[in-house]
Amino acid sequence: MTIGLPRALLYYRYGVIWEAFFKIIGCKTITSPETNKQILNDGIRFSIDECCLPSKIYMGHVYYLIGKCDYILIPRIASCKKRNDVCVKLNAMYDIVKNTFGDISILDYNVDNHNGLNERRAFINMGRALGCSYAKALSAYKNAKKADKLLYEKKVENQNRLLENNDKLKILIVSHSYNCHDKFLGYPISDYIKKLNCVSVFADAADREKSVVMSRKISDSLYWIYNKESIGSIKVLEDKVNGIILLTAFPCGPDSLVNELIMRKVRDIPVINIILDELQGEAGIQTRIESFLDVIKDRARL
Amino acid sequence: MKTGYLGVDTGSISTKGVIIDDENNIIANEYLWTEGNPVNAVKSVLRAIEKQSGDIAVASVGTTGSARKLIGAMLEADVVKNEITAHAVGTLVVFPDVRTILEIGGQDSKIILIDNGIVVDYAMNTLCAAGTGSFLSSQAKRLGIDVEDFGNIALTSNNPTKIAARCTVFAESDLVHKAQIGHKREDIIAGLCLAVVNNYLNNVGKGKAIKPPIVFQGGVSKNSGVVRAFEQVIGEEILVDKNSHLMGAYGAAILAKNNKKGRVFGFDVAKMEFVTKGYECKKCPNNCEIICFYKNNILIDSWGNRCMNGSVAEIMSVKSQ
């Protein structure tokens, strides 16, 4: 059996767990390729106008996988832990896909910790639906989590090593992983920063637990878990970086509030807000980044 | 023979060129409309400033503005810099004490905050070009007047009409409506100037501390109606240099002076043939639109590629096969 994984949205967070889990229980996986113009155009074609750009891209990835696998994995993740919600878009994707493409086979699992549905239960149920025993599904889940933890710790460690280096200016990119690591959306920006001889570091490679704790210094009433992690990373890393880029995809609801919050509360370090949309030409973004780095270089000389 | 340094600022609406000498004096300058053809505009600028400058050797070239890359390739520029930096560098030479630079150009508007001669903060309009120069020129056309006369007509008004300028589309319908119910033309024009200023301060200038001395530049700074509106709203004196429209090019020239690589620039560039050809690269699903730039039929640069498949080297190797 082959499970299709759309390389978009939560793939950037849970992809490692998914791939490991399915491998252990004996399923093959196919992951859609990096986002390209074709995928973006397909995604726009199958979305309504008002959807956010990453969710449009998601639809393009789902469309790519149709006919190439037995099931497409689309989880519903509503909340992780108590009072840690996830953007409604992310738990609506299952129904959006189902209603858009009709009779395709979708594999799902539901996580809603706030209402007693934890991730472990969800994975065990999913494993059993695919025909493996409780024990096998449980051990597959545990091993998948272990693999993910290992990789994540390595990522944090690598970034910490980068942060020790003081030869180059370091720019913290605060963004959802599915924006900043998408080849089409955010990657050109970190690539451009590299071309200008600076180093980009990422909010999602800062220590998560520490970030969530530190996020209280900016706001103690925020309830989107992924945004908590990203704003907390600012507090964790602010002494080690020279500037912050808030990278948002148009029109992200949570980010529009959270970025405003950051702009008002983070005062000691230069911050720029860059909004990506499907029509954006490269020149505008390059002007903004180049001039932002010029300003930071000037300040570093003070 | 004197040594000079050339700065070219190619914006969406206008193209500016200046030559400065070793003491930062402007020896030659030209300002004309880009008219959607930056290469031709730059050629005309070069012809004009060559005539003005007389016996001079241009040692280095800097480009800025939204076509800086294209023009940088055309002139083999020593420096290619973004508009923010170029404007700050230029303005700081003329006004060393400046704290705030307000800039409204054809499509972009910016605010630059300076502390002790160093840019400490700036903001730029985001996705929308409401309230910039192109908006003013299209409204001038609608009202049947030259955009150059806009400011002087605005100054004759004592009672500016209130116009909503948050969005260009709304502003336009507001404007039509106000004209139809009998508001005087000069009041509407003064109202537009005020709307541009309020829009600027509420968007680009939001949350920024505007401290004097304040310098206003970019094409719109030539509009005395907008200058007066800024003074009324901010309550401070607004400085406008006589060369305020040239500041980007001036900054680029100064950057060129500081980065000279020891060569002589030939004005014969203006006689060469430059062609850009666009094509869609089909080597991967990204289908990048690649622009190839030819000088006298020889490919000198290309851009628009997202991966190495569309790089200059790759295109050349395909062409030579």
mmCIF file of all heavy atoms in Angstrom, chain A residues 35-38 183-184 188 260 272 275 277 280 286-288 290-292 294-295 298-299 302, chain B residues 68 80-85 118-122 124-127 206 285-287 289 306:
data_model
loop_
_atom_site.group_PDB
_atom_site.id
_atom_site.type_symbol
_atom_site.label_atom_id
_atom_site.label_comp_id
_atom_site.label_asym_id
_atom_site.label_seq_id
_atom_site.Cartn_x
_atom_site.Cartn_y
_atom_site.Cartn_z
ATOM 1 N N THR A 35 7.508 22.505 -4.151
ATOM 2 C CA THR A 35 6.539 23.352 -4.844
ATOM 3 C C THR A 35 7.160 23.963 -6.101
ATOM 4 O O THR A 35 8.285 24.456 -6.068
ATOM 5 C CB THR A 35 6.092 24.498 -3.917
ATOM 6 O OG1 THR A 35 5.666 23.936 -2.689
ATOM 7 C CG2 THR A 35 4.946 25.284 -4.538
ATOM 8 N N ASN A 36 6.456 23.908 -7.194
ATOM 9 C CA ASN A 36 6.887 24.615 -8.396
ATOM 10 C C ASN A 36 5.681 25.354 -8.963
ATOM 11 O O ASN A 36 4.583 25.304 -8.405
ATOM 12 C CB ASN A 36 7.498 23.650 -9.415
ATOM 13 C CG ASN A 36 6.547 22.522 -9.753
ATOM 14 O OD1 ASN A 36 5.371 22.747 -10.011
ATOM 15 N ND2 ASN A 36 7.056 21.302 -9.743
ATOM 16 N N LYS A 37 5.901 26.050 -10.061
ATOM 17 C CA LYS A 37 4.836 26.895 -10.593
ATOM 18 C C LYS A 37 3.602 26.091 -10.961
ATOM 19 O O LYS A 37 2.470 26.518 -10.750
ATOM 20 C CB LYS A 37 5.363 27.651 -11.817
ATOM 21 C CG LYS A 37 4.687 28.987 -11.988
ATOM 22 C CD LYS A 37 5.178 29.665 -13.239
ATOM 23 C CE LYS A 37 5.637 31.071 -12.977
ATOM 24 N NZ LYS A 37 6.381 31.609 -14.121
ATOM 25 N N GLN A 38 3.851 24.880 -11.503
ATOM 26 C CA GLN A 38 2.734 24.018 -11.886
ATOM 27 C C GLN A 38 1.869 23.698 -10.670
ATOM 28 O O GLN A 38 0.645 23.811 -10.709
ATOM 29 C CB GLN A 38 3.309 22.734 -12.503
ATOM 30 C CG GLN A 38 2.257 21.786 -13.033
ATOM 31 C CD GLN A 38 1.508 22.401 -14.213
ATOM 32 O OE1 GLN A 38 2.126 22.948 -15.120
ATOM 33 N NE2 GLN A 38 0.179 22.360 -14.172
ATOM 34 N N LYS A 183 10.292 25.717 -1.272
ATOM 35 C CA LYS A 183 11.229 26.076 -2.350
ATOM 36 C C LYS A 183 10.735 27.273 -3.163
ATOM 37 O O LYS A 183 11.518 28.050 -3.687
ATOM 38 C CB LYS A 183 11.445 24.880 -3.289
ATOM 39 C CG LYS A 183 12.710 24.113 -2.999
ATOM 40 C CD LYS A 183 13.885 24.684 -3.758
ATOM 41 C CE LYS A 183 15.254 24.425 -3.222
ATOM 42 N NZ LYS A 183 15.616 23.220 -2.584
ATOM 43 N N PHE A 184 9.436 27.394 -3.297
ATOM 44 C CA PHE A 184 8.889 28.439 -4.154
ATOM 45 C C PHE A 184 8.612 29.725 -3.379
ATOM 46 O O PHE A 184 8.807 30.816 -3.883
ATOM 47 C CB PHE A 184 7.600 27.938 -4.808
ATOM 48 C CG PHE A 184 7.302 28.611 -6.101
ATOM 49 C CD1 PHE A 184 7.951 28.210 -7.255
ATOM 50 C CD2 PHE A 184 6.386 29.643 -6.177
ATOM 51 C CE1 PHE A 184 7.694 28.823 -8.464
ATOM 52 C CE2 PHE A 184 6.127 30.265 -7.381
ATOM 53 C CZ PHE A 184 6.775 29.854 -8.533
ATOM 54 N N PRO A 188 13.648 31.297 -1.739
ATOM 55 C CA PRO A 188 14.401 32.334 -2.466
ATOM 56 C C PRO A 188 14.886 33.462 -1.553
ATOM 57 O O PRO A 188 15.898 34.103 -1.832
ATOM 58 C CB PRO A 188 13.389 32.865 -3.487
ATOM 59 C CG PRO A 188 12.444 31.743 -3.692
ATOM 60 C CD PRO A 188 12.340 31.047 -2.366
ATOM 61 N N GLU A 260 1.933 42.139 14.192
ATOM 62 C CA GLU A 260 1.679 43.456 14.777
ATOM 63 C C GLU A 260 2.164 43.479 16.235
ATOM 64 O O GLU A 260 2.798 44.423 16.685
ATOM 65 C CB GLU A 260 0.181 43.752 14.690
ATOM 66 C CG GLU A 260 -0.201 45.184 15.001
ATOM 67 C CD GLU A 260 0.346 46.195 13.998
ATOM 68 O OE1 GLU A 260 0.447 45.869 12.801
ATOM 69 O OE2 GLU A 260 0.691 47.306 14.436
ATOM 70 N N ILE A 272 11.693 43.576 10.140
ATOM 71 C CA ILE A 272 10.998 43.920 8.899
ATOM 72 C C ILE A 272 9.935 42.859 8.640
ATOM 73 O O ILE A 272 10.129 41.690 8.953
ATOM 74 C CB ILE A 272 11.980 44.036 7.709
ATOM 75 C CG1 ILE A 272 11.250 44.536 6.468
ATOM 76 C CG2 ILE A 272 12.641 42.729 7.392
ATOM 77 C CD1 ILE A 272 12.160 44.731 5.274
ATOM 78 N N ILE A 275 5.586 40.299 3.261
ATOM 79 C CA ILE A 275 4.393 39.518 2.954
ATOM 80 C C ILE A 275 4.533 38.909 1.558
ATOM 81 O O ILE A 275 4.785 39.620 0.591
ATOM 82 C CB ILE A 275 3.130 40.397 3.019
ATOM 83 C CG1 ILE A 275 3.012 41.009 4.412
ATOM 84 C CG2 ILE A 275 1.891 39.588 2.678
ATOM 85 C CD1 ILE A 275 1.938 42.070 4.538
ATOM 86 N N ASP A 277 2.951 36.976 -1.647
ATOM 87 C CA ASP A 277 1.694 36.578 -2.263
ATOM 88 C C ASP A 277 1.972 36.003 -3.632
ATOM 89 O O ASP A 277 3.095 36.018 -4.109
ATOM 90 C CB ASP A 277 0.676 37.717 -2.308
ATOM 91 C CG ASP A 277 0.941 38.707 -3.422
ATOM 92 O OD1 ASP A 277 2.028 38.641 -4.012
ATOM 93 O OD2 ASP A 277 0.068 39.529 -3.698
ATOM 94 N N GLN A 280 3.679 38.351 -6.309
ATOM 95 C CA GLN A 280 4.861 39.138 -5.963
ATOM 96 C C GLN A 280 6.002 38.940 -6.948
ATOM 97 O O GLN A 280 6.411 37.820 -7.217
ATOM 98 C CB GLN A 280 5.332 38.726 -4.567
ATOM 99 C CG GLN A 280 6.476 39.547 -4.040
ATOM 100 C CD GLN A 280 5.978 40.844 -3.433
ATOM 101 O OE1 GLN A 280 5.058 40.860 -2.657
ATOM 102 N NE2 GLN A 280 6.624 41.931 -3.806
ATOM 103 N N GLN A 286 13.588 41.804 -3.177
ATOM 104 C CA GLN A 286 15.040 41.986 -3.100
ATOM 105 C C GLN A 286 15.398 43.390 -2.622
ATOM 106 O O GLN A 286 16.309 43.551 -1.817
ATOM 107 C CB GLN A 286 15.674 41.700 -4.461
ATOM 108 C CG GLN A 286 15.614 40.213 -4.784
ATOM 109 C CD GLN A 286 16.365 39.846 -6.042
ATOM 110 O OE1 GLN A 286 16.793 40.716 -6.789
ATOM 111 N NE2 GLN A 286 16.509 38.557 -6.285
ATOM 112 N N THR A 287 14.655 44.406 -3.092
ATOM 113 C CA THR A 287 14.906 45.771 -2.640
ATOM 114 C C THR A 287 14.753 45.849 -1.124
ATOM 115 O O THR A 287 15.580 46.436 -0.428
ATOM 116 C CB THR A 287 13.920 46.750 -3.293
ATOM 117 O OG1 THR A 287 14.097 46.684 -4.694
ATOM 118 C CG2 THR A 287 14.154 48.173 -2.823
ATOM 119 N N ARG A 288 13.682 45.246 -0.616
ATOM 120 C CA ARG A 288 13.423 45.324 0.820
ATOM 121 C C ARG A 288 14.500 44.617 1.628
ATOM 122 O O ARG A 288 14.972 45.129 2.639
ATOM 123 C CB ARG A 288 12.039 44.766 1.123
ATOM 124 C CG ARG A 288 10.953 45.758 0.785
ATOM 125 C CD ARG A 288 9.573 45.146 0.759
ATOM 126 N NE ARG A 288 8.564 46.165 0.494
ATOM 127 C CZ ARG A 288 8.271 46.631 -0.710
ATOM 128 N NH1 ARG A 288 8.903 46.167 -1.775
ATOM 129 N NH2 ARG A 288 7.364 47.566 -0.870
ATOM 130 N N GLU A 290 17.626 43.790 0.659
ATOM 131 C CA GLU A 290 18.936 44.431 0.493
ATOM 132 C C GLU A 290 19.036 45.680 1.370
ATOM 133 O O GLU A 290 20.022 45.875 2.079
ATOM 134 C CB GLU A 290 19.131 44.791 -0.982
ATOM 135 C CG GLU A 290 20.552 45.185 -1.325
ATOM 136 C CD GLU A 290 20.645 45.764 -2.738
ATOM 137 O OE1 GLU A 290 20.160 45.108 -3.678
ATOM 138 O OE2 GLU A 290 21.179 46.871 -2.882
ATOM 139 N N SER A 291 17.973 46.506 1.349
ATOM 140 C CA SER A 291 18.064 47.740 2.133
ATOM 141 C C SER A 291 18.021 47.430 3.631
ATOM 142 O O SER A 291 18.695 48.082 4.422
ATOM 143 C CB SER A 291 16.951 48.708 1.750
ATOM 144 O OG SER A 291 15.718 48.053 1.698
ATOM 145 N N PHE A 292 17.250 46.402 4.011
ATOM 146 C CA PHE A 292 17.202 46.002 5.419
ATOM 147 C C PHE A 292 18.597 45.583 5.896
ATOM 148 O O PHE A 292 19.048 46.006 6.968
ATOM 149 C CB PHE A 292 16.209 44.847 5.579
ATOM 150 C CG PHE A 292 16.022 44.376 6.988
ATOM 151 C CD1 PHE A 292 15.501 45.213 7.958
ATOM 152 C CD2 PHE A 292 16.352 43.078 7.349
ATOM 153 C CE1 PHE A 292 15.311 44.770 9.259
ATOM 154 C CE2 PHE A 292 16.167 42.630 8.650
ATOM 155 C CZ PHE A 292 15.648 43.478 9.599
ATOM 156 N N ASP A 294 21.436 46.491 4.593
ATOM 157 C CA ASP A 294 22.284 47.690 4.622
ATOM 158 C C ASP A 294 22.123 48.437 5.946
ATOM 159 O O ASP A 294 23.095 48.890 6.546
ATOM 160 C CB ASP A 294 21.933 48.633 3.462
ATOM 161 C CG ASP A 294 22.603 48.198 2.162
ATOM 162 O OD1 ASP A 294 23.508 47.351 2.233
ATOM 163 O OD2 ASP A 294 22.215 48.708 1.095
ATOM 164 N N VAL A 295 20.862 48.563 6.381
ATOM 165 C CA VAL A 295 20.595 49.255 7.643
ATOM 166 C C VAL A 295 21.278 48.515 8.795
ATOM 167 O O VAL A 295 21.922 49.116 9.659
ATOM 168 C CB VAL A 295 19.070 49.348 7.891
ATOM 169 C CG1 VAL A 295 18.789 49.835 9.304
ATOM 170 C CG2 VAL A 295 18.428 50.277 6.880
ATOM 171 N N ASP A 298 24.973 49.052 8.820
ATOM 172 C CA ASP A 298 25.280 50.379 9.350
ATOM 173 C C ASP A 298 25.235 50.388 10.874
ATOM 174 O O ASP A 298 26.093 50.961 11.525
ATOM 175 C CB ASP A 298 24.277 51.402 8.809
ATOM 176 C CG ASP A 298 24.823 52.110 7.576
ATOM 177 O OD1 ASP A 298 25.959 51.783 7.185
ATOM 178 O OD2 ASP A 298 24.114 52.958 7.013
ATOM 179 N N ARG A 299 24.197 49.759 11.423
ATOM 180 C CA ARG A 299 24.053 49.731 12.879
ATOM 181 C C ARG A 299 25.179 48.956 13.534
ATOM 182 O O ARG A 299 25.640 49.314 14.616
ATOM 183 C CB ARG A 299 22.724 49.079 13.259
ATOM 184 C CG ARG A 299 21.556 49.994 13.133
ATOM 185 C CD ARG A 299 20.275 49.233 13.329
ATOM 186 N NE ARG A 299 20.083 48.828 14.704
ATOM 187 C CZ ARG A 299 19.077 49.245 15.452
ATOM 188 N NH1 ARG A 299 18.199 50.085 14.967
ATOM 189 N NH2 ARG A 299 18.937 48.820 16.688
ATOM 190 N N LEU A 302 28.152 50.965 14.402
ATOM 191 C CA LEU A 302 28.021 52.006 15.435
ATOM 192 C C LEU A 302 28.941 51.755 16.615
ATOM 193 O O LEU A 302 29.040 50.636 17.088
ATOM 194 C CB LEU A 302 26.581 52.060 15.950
ATOM 195 C CG LEU A 302 25.598 52.948 15.195
ATOM 196 C CD1 LEU A 302 24.214 52.796 15.790
ATOM 197 C CD2 LEU A 302 26.018 54.404 15.218
ATOM 198 N N ARG B 68 17.534 49.047 -11.644
ATOM 199 C CA ARG B 68 18.979 49.148 -11.406
ATOM 200 C C ARG B 68 19.758 47.964 -11.956
ATOM 201 O O ARG B 68 20.899 48.105 -12.384
ATOM 202 C CB ARG B 68 19.259 49.295 -9.905
ATOM 203 C CG ARG B 68 18.774 48.141 -9.042
ATOM 204 C CD ARG B 68 19.024 48.452 -7.570
ATOM 205 N NE ARG B 68 18.582 47.384 -6.685
ATOM 206 C CZ ARG B 68 17.342 47.240 -6.272
ATOM 207 N NH1 ARG B 68 16.418 48.084 -6.685
ATOM 208 N NH2 ARG B 68 17.008 46.259 -5.465
ATOM 209 N N VAL B 80 25.662 48.613 -7.838
ATOM 210 C CA VAL B 80 24.224 48.531 -8.089
ATOM 211 C C VAL B 80 23.576 48.517 -6.709
ATOM 212 O O VAL B 80 23.779 47.576 -5.937
ATOM 213 C CB VAL B 80 23.859 47.248 -8.867
ATOM 214 C CG1 VAL B 80 22.356 47.151 -9.060
ATOM 215 C CG2 VAL B 80 24.575 47.225 -10.209
ATOM 216 N N LYS B 81 22.865 49.596 -6.363
ATOM 217 C CA LYS B 81 22.366 49.709 -4.981
ATOM 218 C C LYS B 81 20.864 49.958 -4.951
ATOM 219 O O LYS B 81 20.312 50.585 -5.842
ATOM 220 C CB LYS B 81 23.053 50.897 -4.310
ATOM 221 C CG LYS B 81 24.073 50.559 -3.239
ATOM 222 C CD LYS B 81 23.603 49.652 -2.152
ATOM 223 C CE LYS B 81 24.777 49.181 -1.305
ATOM 224 N NZ LYS B 81 24.599 47.889 -0.697
ATOM 225 N N ASN B 82 20.221 49.506 -3.882
ATOM 226 C CA ASN B 82 18.783 49.753 -3.727
ATOM 227 C C ASN B 82 18.515 51.227 -3.459
ATOM 228 O O ASN B 82 19.391 51.977 -3.027
ATOM 229 C CB ASN B 82 18.230 48.886 -2.598
ATOM 230 C CG ASN B 82 18.848 49.257 -1.281
ATOM 231 O OD1 ASN B 82 18.457 50.228 -0.662
ATOM 232 N ND2 ASN B 82 19.849 48.512 -0.866
ATOM 233 N N GLU B 83 17.270 51.651 -3.671
ATOM 234 C CA GLU B 83 16.906 53.061 -3.593
ATOM 235 C C GLU B 83 17.055 53.641 -2.185
ATOM 236 O O GLU B 83 17.429 54.804 -2.028
ATOM 237 C CB GLU B 83 15.442 53.266 -4.007
ATOM 238 C CG GLU B 83 15.075 52.767 -5.375
ATOM 239 C CD GLU B 83 14.662 51.311 -5.387
ATOM 240 O OE1 GLU B 83 15.518 50.471 -5.053
ATOM 241 O OE2 GLU B 83 13.525 51.003 -5.722
ATOM 242 N N ILE B 84 16.753 52.823 -1.171
ATOM 243 C CA ILE B 84 16.804 53.336 0.201
ATOM 244 C C ILE B 84 18.207 53.821 0.534
ATOM 245 O O ILE B 84 18.428 54.943 0.988
ATOM 246 C CB ILE B 84 16.420 52.230 1.210
ATOM 247 C CG1 ILE B 84 15.070 51.645 0.858
ATOM 248 C CG2 ILE B 84 16.526 52.709 2.637
ATOM 249 C CD1 ILE B 84 13.940 52.011 1.711
ATOM 250 N N THR B 85 19.174 52.938 0.279
ATOM 251 C CA THR B 85 20.549 53.267 0.603
ATOM 252 C C THR B 85 21.030 54.453 -0.239
ATOM 253 O O THR B 85 21.656 55.384 0.280
ATOM 254 C CB THR B 85 21.444 52.035 0.378
ATOM 255 O OG1 THR B 85 20.851 50.929 1.038
ATOM 256 C CG2 THR B 85 22.833 52.262 0.911
ATOM 257 N N ILE B 118 23.509 57.821 10.404
ATOM 258 C CA ILE B 118 23.363 56.398 10.100
ATOM 259 C C ILE B 118 21.884 56.047 10.008
ATOM 260 O O ILE B 118 21.088 56.479 10.849
ATOM 261 C CB ILE B 118 24.079 55.545 11.164
ATOM 262 C CG1 ILE B 118 25.582 55.630 10.922
ATOM 263 C CG2 ILE B 118 23.619 54.100 11.134
ATOM 264 C CD1 ILE B 118 26.405 54.997 11.987
ATOM 265 N N VAL B 119 21.532 55.292 8.969
ATOM 266 C CA VAL B 119 20.136 54.876 8.815
ATOM 267 C C VAL B 119 19.796 53.901 9.943
ATOM 268 O O VAL B 119 20.442 52.869 10.088
ATOM 269 C CB VAL B 119 19.920 54.191 7.457
ATOM 270 C CG1 VAL B 119 18.494 53.675 7.341
ATOM 271 C CG2 VAL B 119 20.225 55.151 6.329
ATOM 272 N N VAL B 120 18.810 54.233 10.763
ATOM 273 C CA VAL B 120 18.464 53.335 11.864
ATOM 274 C C VAL B 120 17.127 52.638 11.634
ATOM 275 O O VAL B 120 16.850 51.609 12.236
ATOM 276 C CB VAL B 120 18.431 54.041 13.225
ATOM 277 C CG1 VAL B 120 19.827 54.355 13.689
ATOM 278 C CG2 VAL B 120 17.572 55.286 13.180
ATOM 279 N N ASP B 121 16.298 53.186 10.789
ATOM 280 C CA ASP B 121 15.003 52.550 10.559
ATOM 281 C C ASP B 121 14.449 53.078 9.243
ATOM 282 O O ASP B 121 14.786 54.176 8.810
ATOM 283 C CB ASP B 121 14.036 52.895 11.697
ATOM 284 C CG ASP B 121 12.848 51.938 11.744
ATOM 285 O OD1 ASP B 121 12.819 50.992 10.936
ATOM 286 O OD2 ASP B 121 11.951 52.152 12.580
ATOM 287 N N TYR B 122 13.636 52.281 8.602
ATOM 288 C CA TYR B 122 12.980 52.770 7.403
ATOM 289 C C TYR B 122 11.725 51.950 7.197
ATOM 290 O O TYR B 122 11.563 50.881 7.784
ATOM 291 C CB TYR B 122 13.889 52.653 6.179
ATOM 292 C CG TYR B 122 13.979 51.253 5.641
ATOM 293 C CD1 TYR B 122 13.134 50.834 4.624
ATOM 294 C CD2 TYR B 122 14.867 50.341 6.173
ATOM 295 C CE1 TYR B 122 13.182 49.537 4.152
ATOM 296 C CE2 TYR B 122 14.929 49.056 5.712
ATOM 297 C CZ TYR B 122 14.087 48.649 4.696
ATOM 298 O OH TYR B 122 14.127 47.371 4.243
ATOM 299 N N MET B 124 8.663 51.116 3.925
ATOM 300 C CA MET B 124 8.356 51.275 2.511
ATOM 301 C C MET B 124 6.904 50.846 2.338
ATOM 302 O O MET B 124 6.418 50.007 3.100
ATOM 303 C CB MET B 124 9.261 50.307 1.756
ATOM 304 C CG MET B 124 9.733 50.792 0.441
ATOM 305 S SD MET B 124 11.042 49.698 -0.106
ATOM 306 C CE MET B 124 10.814 49.922 -1.838
ATOM 307 N N ASN B 125 6.210 51.414 1.369
ATOM 308 C CA ASN B 125 4.836 50.951 1.153
ATOM 309 C C ASN B 125 4.861 49.465 0.815
ATOM 310 O O ASN B 125 5.792 48.986 0.184
ATOM 311 C CB ASN B 125 4.141 51.755 0.057
ATOM 312 C CG ASN B 125 4.867 51.713 -1.269
ATOM 313 O OD1 ASN B 125 6.061 51.472 -1.311
ATOM 314 N ND2 ASN B 125 4.149 51.930 -2.335
ATOM 315 N N THR B 126 3.858 48.731 1.251
ATOM 316 C CA THR B 126 3.876 47.287 1.009
ATOM 317 C C THR B 126 3.309 46.962 -0.364
ATOM 318 O O THR B 126 3.876 47.341 -1.365
ATOM 319 C CB THR B 126 3.169 46.513 2.129
ATOM 320 O OG1 THR B 126 1.964 47.183 2.433
ATOM 321 C CG2 THR B 126 4.022 46.433 3.348
ATOM 322 N N LEU B 127 2.202 46.283 -0.421
ATOM 323 C CA LEU B 127 1.788 45.759 -1.723
ATOM 324 C C LEU B 127 1.126 46.798 -2.611
ATOM 325 O O LEU B 127 1.005 46.626 -3.807
ATOM 326 C CB LEU B 127 0.807 44.603 -1.506
ATOM 327 C CG LEU B 127 1.402 43.402 -0.791
ATOM 328 C CD1 LEU B 127 0.307 42.451 -0.360
ATOM 329 C CD2 LEU B 127 2.376 42.692 -1.697
ATOM 330 N N LYS B 206 3.532 55.079 9.770
ATOM 331 C CA LYS B 206 2.821 54.650 10.975
ATOM 332 C C LYS B 206 3.794 54.248 12.091
ATOM 333 O O LYS B 206 4.665 53.417 11.895
ATOM 334 C CB LYS B 206 1.913 53.462 10.630
ATOM 335 C CG LYS B 206 1.021 53.038 11.765
ATOM 336 C CD LYS B 206 0.109 51.905 11.341
ATOM 337 C CE LYS B 206 0.912 50.650 11.045
ATOM 338 N NZ LYS B 206 0.092 49.521 10.638
ATOM 339 N N PRO B 285 9.289 22.202 -14.070
ATOM 340 C CA PRO B 285 7.899 22.674 -14.006
ATOM 341 C C PRO B 285 7.750 24.111 -13.527
ATOM 342 O O PRO B 285 6.647 24.645 -13.535
ATOM 343 C CB PRO B 285 7.239 21.710 -13.008
ATOM 344 C CG PRO B 285 8.174 20.579 -12.852
ATOM 345 C CD PRO B 285 9.532 21.085 -13.148
ATOM 346 N N ASN B 286 8.839 24.756 -13.096
ATOM 347 C CA ASN B 286 8.708 26.141 -12.647
ATOM 348 C C ASN B 286 8.416 27.101 -13.791
ATOM 349 O O ASN B 286 7.864 28.169 -13.583
ATOM 350 C CB ASN B 286 9.986 26.598 -11.943
ATOM 351 C CG ASN B 286 9.959 26.227 -10.484
ATOM 352 O OD1 ASN B 286 8.892 26.143 -9.896
ATOM 353 N ND2 ASN B 286 11.109 26.011 -9.897
ATOM 354 N N ASN B 287 8.820 26.707 -15.022
ATOM 355 C CA ASN B 287 8.616 27.544 -16.206
ATOM 356 C C ASN B 287 8.981 29.011 -15.942
ATOM 357 O O ASN B 287 8.173 29.906 -16.165
ATOM 358 C CB ASN B 287 7.159 27.492 -16.672
ATOM 359 C CG ASN B 287 6.769 26.104 -17.124
ATOM 360 O OD1 ASN B 287 7.637 25.258 -17.332
ATOM 361 N ND2 ASN B 287 5.486 25.858 -17.266
ATOM 362 N N GLU B 289 10.204 32.719 -16.211
ATOM 363 C CA GLU B 289 10.295 33.663 -17.326
ATOM 364 C C GLU B 289 11.680 34.284 -17.266
ATOM 365 O O GLU B 289 11.973 35.071 -16.373
ATOM 366 C CB GLU B 289 9.234 34.752 -17.178
ATOM 367 C CG GLU B 289 7.847 34.282 -17.513
ATOM 368 C CD GLU B 289 6.796 35.218 -16.951
ATOM 369 O OE1 GLU B 289 6.973 36.440 -17.059
ATOM 370 O OE2 GLU B 289 5.818 34.707 -16.390
ATOM 371 N N ARG B 306 15.086 30.588 -11.403
ATOM 372 C CA ARG B 306 15.073 30.136 -10.022
ATOM 373 C C ARG B 306 16.099 29.029 -9.785
ATOM 374 O O ARG B 306 16.364 28.656 -8.654
ATOM 375 C CB ARG B 306 13.693 29.608 -9.650
ATOM 376 C CG ARG B 306 12.717 30.695 -9.313
ATOM 377 C CD ARG B 306 11.348 30.139 -9.049
ATOM 378 N NE ARG B 306 10.463 31.220 -8.638
ATOM 379 C CZ ARG B 306 10.148 31.469 -7.378
ATOM 380 N NH1 ARG B 306 10.631 30.724 -6.411
ATOM 381 N NH2 ARG B 306 9.354 32.455 -7.080
#
